[in-house]
Amino acid sequence: MNNLKKKVYLVTALLLVVLLPILYLLIIQSSQNSFDFAKAKDFFISNPNVFWLSYVLILTMTLIILSLVGSFIVTEFIFFIVIVGLAFANNQKVLARGASIYPEDIFMVREIKLLMTMIDRSELIKIVIFITVLIIVCIILFMFVRKTINFQFSRKIIYLLRGVLLLFSIFILFLFININEEGSTMNKFHKKIGIEFIDWSQVDNYRVNGFVLSFLNNSRVQTIKRPDGYSKDSVLRIVEKYKKIAEEQNKTKEELSDIDIVYVMSESFVDPSDTDLFYEKNEDPIPFTHELMQSSLSGKALVPEYGGGTANMEFEALTSFSNYFLQVIPYQSVVPKISGFPSVVSYVKAQDYIATAIHPFDGNMYKRVEVYKSMGFNQFIDQNDMSYTDKFPSGGAISDESAFNQVYDVLTKDDKDHFVHLVTMQNHQPYGAEYSDNPFEVTSDLLTDDVKERMQIYFKGINQSDNAMEQFIQKIDQLEKKTMIVFWGDHYPGQGLFSGIDDEYTELIHSTPLFIYKNFDSEYGDLGTQSLNYLTPNVLNELNVKESPFHVLLNTLNNEIKGLTRGNQLDSKGRQIDIFNETNYLALKEYEMIHYDLIAGKKYSEKSGFFKVK
């Protein structure tokens, strides 16, 4: 009887090892569409080559674990937990941002406690209950098998078989890992069977090639591709060209001094009137912001992300480099590795400014501690160092009012020149607060009642931010010191609030309010829609102060291309560029060359003083 049980177990285990990867594929693929298994099944039926290649990869990884741990039950338990966890994380990111998990996102697991605070509590409870039940079932099953079935195989044979299986599986995995290597076996094979990766649009890549292959495709990518013609001579030609222009233009400009500058990147702050065509509301949540934009230099910030990815917008605004050329999250993979990364911080510090970064959350998110150190900030004040920590709503994030109070303290503590960079946190998802006095009502046939409720909660939040900004500006207006406030929203909110229009109106849902206000000589001016890499050059132009050759290059590029993100490119008049042929834009090629030189090249530009004012 024991032999029969043993045979049944072995056959069952073998079948499950072969069949369970199909379930894993369905789980992870369904996470792309709110765990709709029917859509996942239809996707694989329509794309059999994608299915089989994905299946072999999942099976290979299962066999590697099996050969290492030697237990079928433990192997499948581990793999199932990993798949469910990855699927849940992917689903949450898709819901929040309309984008799937990338390999580099896995490094964010170090901040798992912080990330959990951003997830809807009801969803979190469901996944915890599910995993707990799964653990209990697996323990019971494992104990049952050990008690009822006595395996008497030779240890030498078992270890030999596991060793052979491990070597074979690692070999297959090695072939998969080199799928991006031009000329490799797997690279040739995936092209032969008609699978083409869409590197320029990861949204389309995951949609066309499925989660597993697209995730693999992104596992070994270059930080930035080497542009044609890169060499020391080509970089130095660019450097000398813009040095001459900067030297001539700076003759009529002043040194930056006696003006405090405050950058405010406001979490998920958008202009609700931009979507009046789709969603009706009973009143304007941000009346003061609208008033301010009519009396100061203002426009729209064209941002590269939707629903999240705050650090990517922050990178563009502070460094004037663009995510357009990068294949990674620069705060994670680029900036911390480069000491003294050129930025607005290095510019103002060269003018004897004190640079302060403020973020009312944990400073470790997106490696901000290392990033701000690389940029040269004199100090970084996160939630643990703040003097003002009132929250809005109660139990939520530190309020914008508290954050502005912290900024005001920095500006007024001495007579020195200050640059302050504030990244707010108040309006971060999830939007599940309960207000007894929320006056905002939203009407739309495009929204479910649940989404309407979240949008009304969101409107209450940005209304509070609008009030906080009004109080802050009133205090700034009372200062004798000249002060400039540079404000923009980092991205549209997630959780499906505006997902009904994100496919067709990509420019709209990637455009946030932007204004540059001064408590002196402030008057209306129209910036139009511009990507955030132009933010600092616009600030310097408004103040009529001296610029580096790099800033001159940016102004030249701004005359060619107003918006430069992967999803949207705008020409000199702010019109969508339908066919974006990069070779037609000289300044863009020069800009790309400088990107590569600093990030992955020999840094000829930095050594030649390209980022400094002379």
Side-chain angles (χ1 to χ4, degrees), residues 73 77 81 128-144:
I73 294 175
F77 168 70
I81 289 292
V128 169
I129 292 174
F130 177 80
I131 291 177
T132 302
V133 171
L134 181 63
I135 291 173
I136 294 172
V137 169
C138 286
I139 291 174
I140 293 173
L141 185 59
F142 184 71
M143 292 175 66
F144 172 78

Side-chain angles (χ1 to χ4, degrees), residues 48-49 69 163 245-246 288 317 411 469 482 562 568 585 602:
N49 290 338
V69 303
I245 299 174
F288 179 73
L411 296 178
M469 174 58 76
K482 290 182 178 181
K562 292 293 182 186
N568 296 278
Y585 300 94
K602 300 296 185 179

